[in-house]
Amino acid sequence: MGPRVVYIEELRDHVGDEVTIRGWLFNRRSSGKIRFLIVRDGTGFLQCVATAKDTEPQSFELCERLPQETSLVVIGTVRADPRAPGGYELLLSRLQPVQVPEGQFPITLKEHGVGFLMDHRHLWIRMRRQFAILRIRDAVLWAVREFFKREGFVATECPVIVGTQVEGTTTLFPLDYFGEPAYLSQSGQLYLEATCMALGKVYWIGPAFRAEKSKTRRHLTEFWMAEAEAAYFDHEDNLALQERLVRYVVEYVATERRRELEFLGRDATKLLAEVKGPFARVTYAEAVRIVNGRGVPMEYGDDFGAPAEDALSGHFGKPIFVERFPAKIKPFYMKRAPDDPSVVLCADLIAPEGYGEIIGGSQRVDTEEELISQLREYSLPLEPYRWYIDLRKWGSVPHSGFGLGVERTIAWICGVRHIRETIPFPRMLDRLYP
Ligand code: 4AD
């Protein structure tokens, strides 16, 4: 038996010990008589130092030859060294290759074009920047779960194969369900509305599918949403909950993934400042005026495009709730404002710094009569929504909810301009492999 197997992230507890690390060769260089290996093991990157004096001769010789991404086991003594990346290094005693690649790893430490990197996404995710982003993704999802747990929400699940649309017919992925037309779910919302009448406050983190026909840096065809729904929550309760969630997630990531943010060149202090105070709130009508005032053309009744969202975030410098959209540009399930039935009790949350809309939510229609009338207004068939209408017959109550776009939230937190890097294997208009 060799020395104890540890992970790179645990090295602080093993200074002075001889340990075994199992990983991959990320990079190597020589400087005079010293050979340096950078080894990664999935938890971090570690500099290993080999010298003719301390390292077993065959291993020392291999340090000069092994190619990038050789899988290997290294054994050595842990040293604390503030100059080493990560603060620790390994004085190498010996190493054992597991598999030695025959050629040059396709992704070198040089620059590559995006198309090439996307074709090699299965390998690209091993690189340092992707490592940082995917670890931040892990922290964002963990923070969402922890937040909802603390707030007393029950975790649940929604079906992914569904018979009804939620967010419009233009982005549906159709499916043949044993001869019946079906779709991949655009959102779990309708099912969460049913579940919250059973469990009170519920959430799920699930995939959403939208056949987005345009290529933008903010759209995937498969993405993840953290969706919440709460019985007896009105529009105000809904916004307050969203604000607490976003603040919680940012604060969690700023603490737990400080090094990853630093590596990405993202200023955590700036992020924390953005979410510290109350979020901005404007009505859709006010937002249109602000956007126009900043030189972006848009008319009352238009959807917000990316330029309009960017103009708004430039104006406020913090997250902005845009409330009370015209009913005709929002889905059928949103409740009309009692004082102005041409608008709905909804809000989109726009991230700062031009990262676009990260949350969409609303108070829901809660009477049978209003729901049927809205389904008709949207020319939707009643039959597939029978069960959804039925909810309004059996102890219906005001309720509200929202969906947080996981990838867009990660893009903002990481300061990554294109959403494709925020999910391990992005699905887009022109991308099904890998
Ligand atoms: O605003 P959306 O369409 O809201 C809903 O689907 C509601 N039914 C959710 C609910 O109330 N339970 O989508 C919610 C969020 C958006 O704010 C955005 O962040 C993200 O999901 N999103 C996308 N992210 C990546 N690619 C796409 N194609 C996206 N479409 C929406």
Side-chain angles (χ1 to χ4, degrees):
M1 229 174 62
R4 179 154 171 198
V5 175
V6 299
Y7 285 98
I8 291 171
E9 68 179 356
E10 300 167 342
L11 289 182
R12 75 176 74 84
D13 302 326
H14 297 281
V15 175
D17 299 347
E18 183 161 78
V19 298
T20 303
I21 287 175
R22 301 175 300 187
W24 295 263
L25 179 61
F26 184 69
N27 196 11
R28 61 174 163 73
R29 68 190 165 85
S30 297
S31 166
K33 292 195 180 116
I34 307 181
R35 292 169 189 174
F36 296 97
L37 303 181
I38 304 291
V39 171
R40 55 171 199 89
D41 75 343
T43 73
F45 292 75
L46 173 67
Q47 175 166 285
C48 304
V49 183
T51 66
K53 180 163 92 44
D54 301 297
T55 309
E56 176 266 324
Q58 203 190 344
S59 301
F60 186 66
E61 193 262 325
L62 279 172
C63 288
E64 197 79 325
R65 286 200 285 121
L66 290 178
Q68 187 183 347
E69 287 307 310
T70 297
S71 43
L72 78 185
V73 177
V74 294
I75 292 169
T77 307
V78 183
R79 291 201 298 215
D81 183 346
R83 289 163 310 168
Y88 301 91
E89 63 177 21
L90 198 75
L91 184 58
L92 192 74
S93 320
R94 57 188 189 278
L95 67 77
Q96 179 67 50
V98 177
Q99 190 252 329
V100 182
E102 292 196 350
Q104 165 69 49
F105 189 62
I107 304 179
T108 60
L109 303 176
K110 294 194 239 57
E111 292 268 311
H112 294 283
V114 168
F116 178 87
L117 289 171
M118 290 295 286
D119 288 342
H120 293 85
R121 184 66 179 165
H122 55 296
L123 303 177
W124 185 21
I125 50 178
R126 300 183 188 191
M127 305 309 276
R128 259 193 154 131
R129 178 181 153 87
Q130 305 307 315
F131 170 82
I133 297 170
L134 293 180
R135 279 177 58 90
I136 289 172
R137 182 181 172 99
D138 156 67
V140 165
L141 291 168
W142 183 254
V144 167
R145 293 194 172 95
E146 204 170 80
F147 171 80
F148 281 122
K149 177 92 184 152
R150 286 182 181 208
E151 292 264 342
F153 279 63
V154 177
T156 186
E157 278 76 33
C158 301
V160 167
I161 301 174
V162 296
T164 49
Q165 62 101 343
V166 207
E167 298 295 327
T169 48
T170 56
T171 60
L172 283 172
F173 271 115
L175 194 75
D176 174 9
Y177 194 71
F178 308 111
E180 236 188 287
Y183 311 99
L184 291 177
S185 171
Q186 298 168 304
S187 153
Q189 181 197 318
L190 305 190
Y191 295 92
L192 288 183
E193 285 186 58
T195 315
C196 83
M197 299 300 162
L199 299 169
K201 298 189 285 187
V202 295
Y203 81 98
W204 88 308
I205 300 176
F209 304 89
R210 310 251 173 117
E212 303 282 358
K213 309 275 179 351
S214 60
K215 282 199 225 173
T216 83
R217 62 186 172 86
R218 291 180 187 162
H219 289 91
L220 298 168
T221 53
E222 177 183 290
F223 61 99
W224 287 73
M225 255 201 278
E227 295 187 276
E229 198 70 33
Y232 291 106
F233 267 43
D234 66 11
H235 175 64
E236 289 300 322
D237 300 326
N238 199 22
L239 295 204
L241 178 69
Q242 292 169 41
E243 189 165 330
R244 291 199 297 280
L245 168 65
V246 170
R247 188 171 295 126
Y248 189 87
V249 169
V250 168
E251 287 175 355
Y252 183 89
V253 175
T255 315
E256 296 295 322
R257 293 290 183 266
R258 194 174 41 83
R259 270 201 281 136
E260 286 80 358
L261 289 171
E262 260 167 37
F263 181 81
L264 295 170
R266 189 66 165 130
D267 183 357
T269 325
K270 182 172 185 190
L271 273 175
L272 289 169
E274 284 170 353
V275 298
K276 188 160 183 271
F279 293 4
R281 282 175 73 160
V282 288
T283 63
Y284 170 88
E286 284 163 351
V288 172
R289 282 195 290 277
I290 294 170
V291 167
N292 288 160
R294 291 179 71 94
V296 178
M298 159 176 192
E299 282 181 29
Y300 189 92
D302 287 351
D303 261 323
F304 278 101
E309 286 176 354
D310 297 353
L312 266 187
S313 71
H315 184 80
F316 288 100
K318 54 178 166 176
I320 311 133
F321 284 115
V322 182
E323 301 174 76
R324 296 168 73 96
F325 276 68
K328 65 177 191 316
I329 57 167
K330 284 292 182 188
F332 67 93
Y333 54 73
M334 293 189 177
K335 191 174 176 64
R336 305 278 168 135
D339 57 332
D340 177 2
S342 77
V343 300
V344 281
L345 294 177
C346 72
D348 285 358
L349 183 66
I350 315 290
E353 301 175 62
Y355 288 94
E357 180 204 319
I358 53 171
I359 297 185
S362 72
Q363 188 166 336
R364 321 302 193 188
V365 171
D366 51 24
T367 69
E368 181 181 7
E369 194 191 354
E370 208 184 337
L371 182 56
I372 291 180
S373 129
Q374 293 203 188
L375 283 166
R376 290 216 167 100
E377 216 173 288
Y378 283 76
S379 309
L380 290 167
L382 298 189
E383 207 40 49
Y385 295 93
R386 279 288 163 216
W387 66 271
Y388 184 66
I389 298 169
D390 205 32
L391 295 173
R392 276 75 188 159
K393 293 181 185 166
W394 307 103
S396 186
V397 297
H399 61 288
S400 303
F402 63 88
L404 169 101
V406 169
E407 288 74 23
R408 292 209 195 151
T409 304
I410 296 168
W412 164 46
I413 292 177
C414 291
V416 167
R417 281 288 151 193
H418 201 298
I419 197 172
R420 66 185 158 223
E421 283 182 77
T422 62
I423 184 164
F425 294 97
R427 293 286 169 258
M428 294 177 294
L429 186 60
D430 58 354
R431 182 63 57 186
L432 183 58
Y433 301 98

